[in-house]
């Protein structure tokens, strides 16, 4: 489904992604971990098409289409969804109207019939239930005055509504209380299908107990330095990142010889 | 920042949608302004002597007055001698039915989306159209007549209801008020007149569309609305103009009078031609609007959505004379490209326990300059009067400007005045967030702007709110790539 080849990207002239390679197949869940500032959100931003990142090298393909050639809204319509680490507030724009607009754009692009008001409402109710998202929040202005956890839950509610192919969740677990984490994880598990895929960016092994990943990758200094299965996450929990950093810098110095 | 620049680039490329000229035979006076011009207009309209006398007083006042100098932009040179002060479609008779109206004119109305059809009657809108200077047709008069409501052109009112006109015309905005109001007094062409009798609730929205069509003409319409005791009326005003390289002057006067317990809601969607992206052409919109709450518990509210004009200079104000009377001012003003808006309100709290509320939302894009100018005055007798003002500015890009000039004068220490102000920018991260949900940048801006202006748009009657929303989006269309 997603194929990232030797991806390099700069922000404000500084190289942040330094040759990322990643293959994600339909039906898979990949976890990306890594220390603060290693480039996880940057990778998510580049995939979503944020314009302040400049791709200097590499390719990204989504089901045979060149993702890097598409505008951000086209990527979204093609099925890329990013649950933001820091969702923005948009005053005066009602959550539900915004979703209606978004869904209508996406369905037009996918050549699906538009939903009637009734169908839309029905779908809203179902998806709200899935992540136990409070109806009163759906009618408020988009994220305005939402608590940290409410914002995160809203991201997953939107994910459920828009039915993407590839979902990238950037630290959606941080800020959620213990119950919310379980609820949201269950919701995501229900949304998993053989046709879609998830990339979970997280710092905590705990999330991966709820949503069991097929692969775990460690991003460090703009590169994937280690890939494994869910056992890798346990190992990281135990040992931290230092051993990987050392290994990485060791190999780097060997390369220099 | 790069994205902002792109946004600006595209904003500047947006074109005016209503810029067509209608080929209709016009009866136009020669350019220039002197006593004979005033006599000519009055004679053309078969006016009584008292009205000509009043026009003359206005003309004399005009000659003595200076252009205002306090606004936040350089007053353009306006050559009052190069304007024609009277233009009317030649076919002047009033039409009993729409079939008799010049089809070219009807096509114009169609292009304007003017609600002239049966459907509109169902929607409950009565329309008076002022095309250049003459009121062309008024529909649904009959139904209103039965309730004793008068809704007609000022010219007709002069003939049919001279006592009302003589009593109230100029009673809120005197002929000496300011240079543009004096000019209007001297040369006003036509406009609308509304009278709602005691205790009557007007069952439909009353609405007028204005359009400047002829070249080198100005438009000087005059509106007078009187709501007698315990009556209610909601009135809508819309306007457009064709694209022209020269600037055209629009100097209207609107007077509202609300008696004891009466309520007037006056809504405007102003979409005069704003000029091109270099600032060539466009309407100079210098308008005097004022309402008086003459009796106890009277209420006046102004709602305006100002998207057009090269320059907008306009301060719809309210005199709160009756005790417990209240006034509201809701405004959205958008300036794009080289547009300038200097707009706001003046509220004079004269009676006790009077209340006012001001919500102003400025939106600047391109190199547009947007100023809010407001005065809240608490008089010596305005015991326990209250005002709340909220004044927000939204910037799109970084070449535009937003300014606020709130003035407060209080002679009463039991009065309370609250003022809140914010300035914000449409963030690249907000636009990106919406993009990431499949919404393109243009629609994203429209959503954000409409969200921002919601408190004001909500004040408009439903039908108009939708139109105003579209207009806001249209004004900012092409804003991002
Ligand atoms: N606009 C910017 N200008 C300059 N540097 C930036 C900008 N945005 C991100 N960076 C830098 O890019 C690097 C990667 O940041 P990124 O947000 O991708 O890290 P992360 O792995 O998501 O970290 P965290 O775990 O803390 O969320 C950091 O060093 C950060 O400071
Ligand atoms: Mg991050």
């Amino acid at each position: 489904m997603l194929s990232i080849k030797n991806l390099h990207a700069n922000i404000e002239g500084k190289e942040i992604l330094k040759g990322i390679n990643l293959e994600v197949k339909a039906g898979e869940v990949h976890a990306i971990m890594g220390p603060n500032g290693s480039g996880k959100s940057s990778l998510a931003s580049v995939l979503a098409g944020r314009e302040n990142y400049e791709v200097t090298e590499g390719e990204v393909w989504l089901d045979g289409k060149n993702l890097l050639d598409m505008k951000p809204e086209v990527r979204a319509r093609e099925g890329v969804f990013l649950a933001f680490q820091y969702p923005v507030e948009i005053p005066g724009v009602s959550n539900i109207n915004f979703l209606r607009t978004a869904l209508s754009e996406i369905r037009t692009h996918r050549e699906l019939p538009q939903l009637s008001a009734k169908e839309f409402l029905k779908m809203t109710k179902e998806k709200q239930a899935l992540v136990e998202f409070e109806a009163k929040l759906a009618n408020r202005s988009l994220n305005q005055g939402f608590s940290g956890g409410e914002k995160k839950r809203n991201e997953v509610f939107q994910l459920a509504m828009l039915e993407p192919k590839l979902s990238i969740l950037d630290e959606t677990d941080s800020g959620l209380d213990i119950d919310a984490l379980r609820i949201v994880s269950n919701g995501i598990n229900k949304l998993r299908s053989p046709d879609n895929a998830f990339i979970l960016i997280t710092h905590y092994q705990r999330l991966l107990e709820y949503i069991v990943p097929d692969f775990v990758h460690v991003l460090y200094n703009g590169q994937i330095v280690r890939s494994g299965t869910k056992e890798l996450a346990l190992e990281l929990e135990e040992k931290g990142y230092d051993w990987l950093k050392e290994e990485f810098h060791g190999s780097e110095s060997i390369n220099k010889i | 920042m790069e994205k902002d620049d792109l946004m600006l680039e595209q904003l500047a490329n947006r074109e005016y949608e209503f810029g067509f000229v209608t080929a209709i035979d016009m009866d136009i006076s020669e350019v220039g302004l002197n006593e004979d011009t005033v006599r000519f207009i009055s004679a053309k309209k078969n006016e009584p002597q008292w009205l000509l006398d009043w026009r003359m007083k206005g003309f004399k006042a005009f000659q003595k007055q200076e252009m205002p100098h306090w606004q936040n932009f350089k007053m353009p040179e306006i050559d009052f001698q190069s304007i024609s002060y009277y233009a009317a479609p030649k076919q002047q008779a009033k039409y009993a039915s729409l079939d008799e109206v010049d089809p070219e004119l009807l096509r114009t109305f169609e292009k304007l989306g003017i609600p002239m059809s049966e459907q509109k009657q169902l929607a409950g809108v009565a329309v008076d159209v002022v095309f250049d200077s003459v009121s062309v047709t008024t529909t649904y008069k009959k139904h209103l007549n039965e309730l004793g409501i008068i809704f007609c052109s000022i010219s007709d009112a002069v003939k049919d209801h001279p006592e009302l006109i003589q009593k109230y015309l100029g009673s809120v905005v005197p002929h000496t008020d300011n240079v543009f109001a004096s000019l209007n007094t001297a040369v006003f062409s036509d406009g609308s007149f509304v009278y709602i009798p005691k205790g009557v609730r007007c069952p439909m929205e009353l609405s007028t569309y204005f359009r400047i069509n002829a070249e080198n003409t100005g438009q000087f319409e005059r509106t007078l609305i009187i709501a007698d005791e315990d009556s209610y009326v909601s009135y809508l005003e819309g306007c457009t103009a064709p694209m022209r390289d020269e600037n055209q002057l629009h100097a209207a006067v609107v007077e509202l009078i609300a008696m004891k317990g009466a309520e007037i809601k006056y809504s405007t969607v102003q979409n005069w031609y704003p000029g091109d992206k270099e600032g060539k052409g466009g309407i100079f919109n210098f308008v005097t609007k004022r309402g008086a709450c003459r009796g106890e518990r009277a209420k006046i509210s102004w709602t305006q959505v100002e998207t057009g004009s090269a320059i907008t200079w306009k301060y719809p104000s309210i005199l709160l004379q009756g005790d417990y009377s209240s006034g509201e001012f809701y405004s959205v003003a958008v300036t794009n490209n080289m547009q300038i808006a200097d707009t706001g309100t003046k509220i004079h709290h004269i009676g006790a326990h009077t209340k006012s509320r001001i919500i102003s939302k400025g939106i600047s894009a391109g190199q547009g300059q947007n100023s809010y100018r407001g005065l809240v005055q608490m008089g010596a007798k305005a015991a326990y009067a209250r005002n709340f003002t909220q004044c927000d500015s939204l910037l799109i890009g970084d070449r535009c400007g937003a300014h606020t000039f709130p003035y407060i004068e209080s002679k009463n220490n039991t009065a309370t005045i609250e003022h809140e102000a914010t300035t914000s920018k449409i963030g690249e991260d907000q636009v990106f967030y919406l993009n990431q949900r499949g919404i393109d940048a243009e629609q994203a801006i429209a959503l954000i702007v409409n969200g921002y202006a919601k408190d004001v748009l909500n004040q408009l009657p439903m039908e108009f709110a939708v139109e105003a929303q579209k207009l806001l989006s249209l004004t900012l269309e092409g804003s991002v790539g």
Side-chain angles (χ1 to χ4, degrees):
Chain A
M1 170 178 291
L2 179 75
S3 173
I4 304 176
K5 292 178 184 147
N6 190 31
L7 183 64
H8 289 252
N10 290 352
I11 188 155
E12 289 173 15
K14 184 176 149 210
E15 185 163 59
I16 306 287
L17 301 184
K18 304 173 180 174
I20 304 253
N21 292 291
L22 184 66
E23 294 287 330
V24 177
K25 296 202 177 65
E28 290 179 349
V29 174
H30 290 240
I32 296 182
M33 305 183 79
N36 295 131
S38 56
K40 302 181 298 296
S41 295
S42 300
L43 174 62
S45 294
V46 170
L47 293 178
R50 193 152 203 148
E51 275 170 33
N52 44 6
Y53 286 87
E54 185 200 355
V55 174
T56 51
E57 218 183 311
E59 295 166 24
V60 181
W61 298 89
L62 180 76
D63 283 339
K65 291 185 190 167
N66 185 347
L67 201 66
L68 299 179
D69 273 355
M70 299 175 201
K71 287 183 170 186
E73 63 270 23
V74 179
R75 299 182 194 199
R77 294 170 195 164
E78 284 286 331
V80 175
F81 183 96
L82 171 58
F84 287 84
Q85 183 174 4
Y86 305 109
V88 297
E89 304 194 358
I90 308 187
V93 175
S94 103
N95 216 346
I96 210 75
N97 278 346
F98 144 74
L99 263 178
R100 182 115 212 235
T101 310
L103 192 63
S104 144
E105 292 294 329
I106 287 170
R107 291 185 74 92
T108 305
H109 184 83
R110 295 179 193 166
E111 295 178 353
L112 294 169
Q114 293 299 327
L115 296 182
S116 70
K118 209 173 146 195
E119 290 164 329
F120 177 74
L121 222 66
K122 184 164 165 270
M123 179 174 183
T124 307
K125 286 216 179 98
E126 281 168 19
K127 306 295 183 180
Q128 270 172 6
L130 194 69
V131 292
E132 296 184 21
F133 186 71
E134 278 185 70
K136 71 170 202 292
L137 291 178
N139 290 315
R140 279 199 3 214
S141 286
L142 186 46
N143 291 331
Q144 200 187 12
F146 283 25
S147 76
E150 286 169 344
K151 281 182 188 166
K152 294 300 177 70
R153 221 187 265 212
N154 194 13
E155 295 293 287
V156 181
F157 168 54
Q158 292 174 31
L159 189 161
M161 287 294 290
L162 302 180
E163 301 177 327
K165 267 191 220 169
L166 174 72
S167 302
I168 306 161
L169 287 81
D170 193 355
E171 295 196 27
T172 302
D173 53 335
S174 48
L176 290 178
D177 66 42
I178 301 161
D179 293 335
L181 179 63
R182 185 175 33 79
I183 292 161
V184 165
S185 304
N186 283 341
I188 290 170
N189 281 330
K190 283 187 201 136
L191 293 171
R192 284 179 70 171
S193 88
D195 302 319
N196 62 21
F198 290 81
I199 295 176
L200 309 176
I201 296 172
T202 182
H203 287 296
Y204 305 106
Q205 199 272 332
R206 181 173 194 115
L207 172 72
L208 307 181
E209 281 173 11
Y210 289 114
I211 310 173
V212 181
D214 300 292
F215 300 95
V216 175
H217 312 276
V218 179
L219 192 65
Y220 176 60
N221 195 22
Q223 287 182 327
I224 291 179
V225 294
R226 177 69 62 110
S227 294
T229 53
K230 68 180 200 314
E231 279 68 38
L232 178 58
L234 283 169
E235 201 177 351
L236 291 171
E237 179 104 334
E238 207 175 298
K239 300 203 269 184
Y241 291 111
D242 280 352
W243 60 286
L244 276 175
K245 289 184 193 174
E246 271 160 33
E247 236 172 59
F248 173 76
H249 288 293
S251 67
E252 226 179 23
S253 46
I254 288 166
N255 285 344
K256 277 185 191 142
I257 298 172
Chain B
M1 279 311 90
E2 212 175 274
K3 185 157 182 168
D4 274 352
D5 287 346
L6 195 67
M7 235 154 58
L8 290 165
E9 187 98 341
Q10 311 257 337
L11 262 173
N13 292 333
R14 178 235 148 193
E15 289 207 37
Y16 186 67
E17 276 230 334
F18 301 93
F20 51 85
V21 180
T22 307
I24 287 182
D25 250 359
M26 301 289 272
D27 192 358
I28 299 176
S29 75
E30 280 183 25
V31 297
L33 179 58
N34 53 44
E35 288 194 5
D36 287 340
T37 324
V38 179
R39 279 193 201 97
F40 171 84
I41 294 168
S42 190
K44 269 275 175 198
K45 300 169 80 66
N46 295 316
E47 286 175 355
Q49 186 63 37
W50 56 263
L51 193 51
L52 175 60
D53 292 347
W54 188 62
R55 285 181 182 274
M56 283 302 179
K57 283 205 294 191
F59 181 65
K60 295 224 164 75
F62 168 74
Q63 285 178 306
K64 282 190 220 124
Q65 266 154 335
E66 283 174 20
M67 297 291 269
H69 55 272
W70 38 261
Q71 67 282 345
N72 190 32
F73 59 89
K74 195 175 164 290
M75 184 61 81
E77 296 282 338
I78 298 175
D79 182 1
F80 291 100
Q81 295 306 335
S82 68
I83 297 171
S84 167
Y85 288 86
Y86 184 81
K90 269 224 172 95
Q91 248 181 328
Q92 260 214 43
K94 282 277 174 172
Y95 313 102
S97 88
L98 287 181
D99 305 343
E100 296 169 33
V101 177
D102 187 336
E104 189 67 26
L105 196 62
L106 286 183
R107 235 162 284 138
T108 304
F109 294 149
E110 227 164 81
K111 278 190 231 168
L112 291 170
I114 289 183
M116 292 285 282
S117 58
E118 290 286 315
Q119 310 153 18
K120 285 296 161 178
Q121 191 169 11
L122 293 173
V125 179
V127 188
D128 188 40
V129 182
V130 176
F131 193 86
D132 278 324
S133 305
V134 172
S135 174
V136 179
T137 178
T138 304
T139 36
Y140 318 120
K141 253 197 243 170
K142 208 167 142 259
H143 181 48
L144 296 172
N145 271 344
E146 286 161 9
L147 292 164
I149 294 172
I150 305 168
F151 177 38
C152 63
S153 68
I154 284 270
S155 314
D156 284 352
V158 168
K159 290 192 194 86
D160 302 339
H161 309 281
E163 67 300 336
L164 287 173
I165 297 290
Q166 262 181 298
K167 184 165 174 195
Y168 293 109
L169 194 69
S171 74
V172 188
V173 178
H175 67 275
T176 49
D177 194 79
N178 66 73
V179 63
F180 298 105
S182 298
L183 177 65
N184 178 287
T185 304
V187 302
F188 77 91
S189 28
D190 210 335
S192 298
F193 175 76
V194 175
Y195 173 80
I196 314 288
K198 277 184 193 168
V200 172
R201 214 186 142 81
C202 184
M204 54 177 80
E205 310 281 350
L206 302 182
S207 146
T208 301
Y209 268 81
F210 297 112
R211 178 170 166 83
I212 298 178
N213 199 51
E215 221 168 324
N216 297 322
T217 55
Q219 180 145 346
F220 308 95
E221 81 275 354
R222 187 136 196 142
T223 303
L224 175 60
I225 299 177
I226 303 155
D228 216 329
E229 290 179 13
D230 299 313
S231 68
Y232 168 84
V233 64
S234 167
Y235 185 90
L236 320 169
E237 171 204 291
C239 50
T240 52
M243 292 197 251
R244 302 232 183 252
D245 285 349
E246 322 81 48
N247 298 106
Q248 282 178 288
L249 179 62
H250 173 245
V253 172
V254 176
E255 296 176 280
L256 309 182
I257 297 156
M259 304 300 194
K260 193 173 136 202
E263 178 177 352
I264 303 175
K265 259 179 90 86
Y266 193 104
S267 313
T268 305
V269 174
Q270 186 265 109
N271 184 33
W272 297 116
Y273 177 52
D276 70 9
K277 59 186 171 188
E278 269 86 44
K280 197 168 165 48
I283 301 290
F284 290 157
N285 190 34
F286 290 82
V287 171
T288 308
K289 293 185 168 180
R290 192 171 304 146
C293 286
R294 293 255 161 101
E296 267 177 42
R297 290 175 292 101
K299 183 174 175 188
I300 287 178
S301 80
W302 297 105
T303 303
Q304 59 174 27
V305 176
E306 306 281 323
T307 63
S309 299
I311 299 175
T312 295
W313 178 99
K314 165 176 182 191
Y315 316 91
S317 47
I318 305 172
L319 301 158
L320 296 171
Q321 295 167 306
D323 292 349
Y324 295 96
S325 62
S326 62
E328 292 170 348
F329 174 75
Y330 298 99
S331 170
V332 177
V334 188
T335 52
N336 191 4
N337 297 324
M338 305 296 281
Q339 278 178 280
I340 295 168
D342 195 299
T343 184
T345 184
K346 286 192 278 183
I347 313 244
H348 307 274
H349 289 257
I350 299 159
H353 299 279
T354 48
K355 256 188 350 197
S356 66
R357 183 178 160 84
I358 298 171
I359 309 282
S360 161
K361 305 267 180 179
I363 301 166
S364 318
Q367 289 170 261
Q369 294 295 324
N370 212 319
S371 301
Y372 167 80
R373 183 181 303 281
L375 169 66
V376 176
Q377 211 176 40
M378 301 293 187
K381 293 193 183 131
Y384 305 102
R386 304 173 67 95
N387 160 265
F388 172 75
T389 299
Q390 185 185 330
C391 178
D392 298 329
S393 309
L394 185 68
L395 302 169
I396 304 175
D398 45 21
R399 290 189 300 166
C400 52
H403 320 271
T404 51
F405 304 95
Y407 300 95
I408 291 168
E409 289 170 22
S410 183
K411 294 195 180 113
N412 196 304
N413 56 18
T414 61
T416 45
I417 299 172
E418 276 178 84
H419 184 95
E420 285 175 13
T422 65
T423 301
S424 50
K425 248 186 117 154
I426 289 195
E428 185 260 333
D429 51 344
Q430 288 176 323
V431 175
F432 182 69
Y433 187 90
L434 298 178
N435 288 162
Q436 214 302 304
R437 301 300 186 249
I439 298 168
D440 67 26
E442 201 158 278
Q443 212 180 345
I445 299 247
L447 267 176
I448 296 168
V449 165
N450 278 309
Y452 164 80
K454 196 160 96 180
D455 291 348
V456 174
L457 298 178
N458 279 348
Q459 296 298 324
L460 292 171
M462 251 298 250
E463 236 190 11
F464 245 39
V466 175
E467 195 175 324
Q469 263 184 20
K470 274 194 245 154
L471 212 61
L472 278 187
S473 313
L474 205 72
T475 305
L476 298 166
E477 192 164 277
S479 55
V480 257

